[in-house]
């Protein structure tokens, strides 16, 4: 068992994640999300009119022996909801996978479709909400409905040493899993240590214990979300993103 409380990669972790993937893909628990993801898949964006959309929940993707966990918010309507793979086929994914490639976690910088040959080594990419939400805004009830999937995924990924959370809502989902209290205010580049055991803890401050990633539990590094709003108006630059993943690589060992 790993310090983070779960399986330390290997065949058993891959098997658990495979079973979880089948459960995720079959889920129809949230009527609003089911209606939206399927409507988008039927009507399609003009640029993708000739493509068959995935139109289902999108499972996590990557290496079951991951030491780095990347957490977004939810699939994009015309990105992962179209391609069936997280952060694939949209501009946010372009930024993410280029950065993972430069940091040595991906075998190529492009992510255009589920069959494009992309492979991750030592990294796993996921989200706490598995269906594309209208206006990219899942409700509290939708977060809650997906929480069991997210919790099971994190427990299966027992080798994780560092978590990169993209945006405030993703950070909140990670903080909820480890029950960080009081919860620090979101800030790009902030590092927080996560308690050993990987499960919810009864209390204690977010800054308690060792520095992020040092001994005990995993480290959490916060990053602006890769939305066009952030990348075009430049609160987030590729240099800033590279710095996050360089730090994550160091913490992941």
């Amino acid at each position: 068992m790993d310090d983070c409380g779960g399986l330390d990669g290997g065949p058993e972790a891959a098997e658990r994640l495979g079973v979880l993937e089948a459960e995720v893909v079959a889920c129809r628990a949230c009527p609003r999300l089911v209606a939206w993801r399927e409507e988008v898949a039927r009507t399609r964006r003009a640029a993708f009119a000739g493509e068959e959309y995935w139109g289902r929940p999108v499972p996590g993707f990557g290496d079951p022996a991951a030491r780095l966990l990347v957490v977004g918010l939810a699939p994009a309507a015309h990105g992962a909801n179209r391609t069936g793979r997280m952060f694939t086929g949209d501009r946010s994914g372009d930024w993410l996978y280029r950065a993972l490639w430069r940091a040595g976690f991906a075998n190529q910088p492009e992510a255009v479709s589920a069959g494009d040959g992309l492979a991750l080594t030592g990294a796993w990419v996921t989200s706490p909400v598995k269906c594309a939400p209208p206006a990219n805004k899942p409700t509290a009830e939708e977060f809650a409905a997906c929480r069991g999937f997210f919790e099971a995924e994190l427990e299966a990924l027992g080798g994780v040493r560092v978590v990169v959370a993209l945006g405030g809502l993703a950070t909140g989902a990670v903080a909820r899993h480890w029950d960080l209290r009081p919860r620090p205010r979101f800030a790009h580049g902030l590092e927080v240590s996560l308690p050993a055991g990987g499960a919810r803890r009864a209390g204690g401050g977010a800054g308690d214990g060792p520095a992020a990633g040092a001994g005990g539990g995993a480290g959490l590094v916060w990053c602006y979300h890769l939305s066009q709003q952030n990348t075009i108006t430049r609160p987030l630059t590729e240099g800033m993103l590279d710095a996050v993943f360089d730090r994550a690589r160091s913490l992941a060992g």
Side-chain angles (χ1 to χ4, degrees):
M1 298 289 282
D2 184 86
D3 285 334
C4 294
L7 304 172
D8 191 6
E12 192 175 348
E15 182 178 352
R16 283 177 61 177
L17 289 164
V19 171
L20 181 62
E21 176 178 330
E23 294 173 356
V24 168
V25 170
C27 183
R28 300 182 65 84
C30 301
R32 187 182 80 115
L33 298 188
V34 171
W36 174 248
R37 78 192 191 206
E38 294 180 356
E39 173 64 19
V40 169
R42 280 193 301 271
T43 58
R44 305 171 190 171
R45 180 171 284 173
F48 310 121
E51 296 188 24
E52 185 74 22
Y53 273 53
W54 172 256
R56 285 171 279 174
V58 180
F61 162 71
D63 181 356
R67 295 177 71 81
L68 167 66
L69 175 66
V70 181
V71 181
L73 171 60
H78 300 282
N81 187 58
R82 172 173 60 89
T83 65
R85 190 175 69 196
M86 282 302 302
F87 280 103
T88 297
D90 60 21
R91 291 185 181 180
S92 295
D94 293 344
W95 276 62
L96 175 62
Y97 289 114
R98 281 199 302 264
L100 289 173
W101 175 70
R102 289 190 294 264
F105 292 104
N107 67 328
Q108 63 187 41
E110 297 89 13
V112 296
S113 69
D116 61 10
L118 175 67
L120 301 183
T121 300
W124 186 270
V125 179
T126 191
S127 60
V129 176
K130 305 302 185 185
C131 292
N136 294 318
K137 293 181 179 179
T139 66
E141 292 77 15
E142 289 159 356
F143 267 104
C146 253
R147 191 168 298 152
F149 292 141
F150 188 59
E151 299 282 349
E153 195 172 15
L154 267 60
E155 289 180 12
L157 293 165
V160 168
R161 300 297 302 149
V162 59
V163 181
V164 171
L166 303 174
L169 293 176
T171 300
V174 173
R176 187 179 300 109
H177 175 75
W178 271 274
D179 199 21
L180 294 180
R181 290 182 288 178
R183 194 171 300 172
R185 179 184 291 275
F186 177 84
H188 177 82
L190 181 68
E191 294 179 23
V192 178
S193 61
L194 299 174
R200 297 171 182 273
R201 60 176 178 171
D208 293 348
L220 169 62
V221 183
W222 295 0
C223 180
Y224 285 127
H225 194 274
L226 308 180
S227 66
Q228 291 187 59
Q229 179 181 354
N230 287 336
T231 58
I232 290 177
T233 60
R234 297 184 69 79
L236 180 65
T237 67
E238 290 203 84
M240 292 167 65
L241 188 58
D242 284 345
V244 166
F245 283 110
D246 284 348
R247 180 59 176 156
R249 181 177 57 193
S250 176
L251 292 171

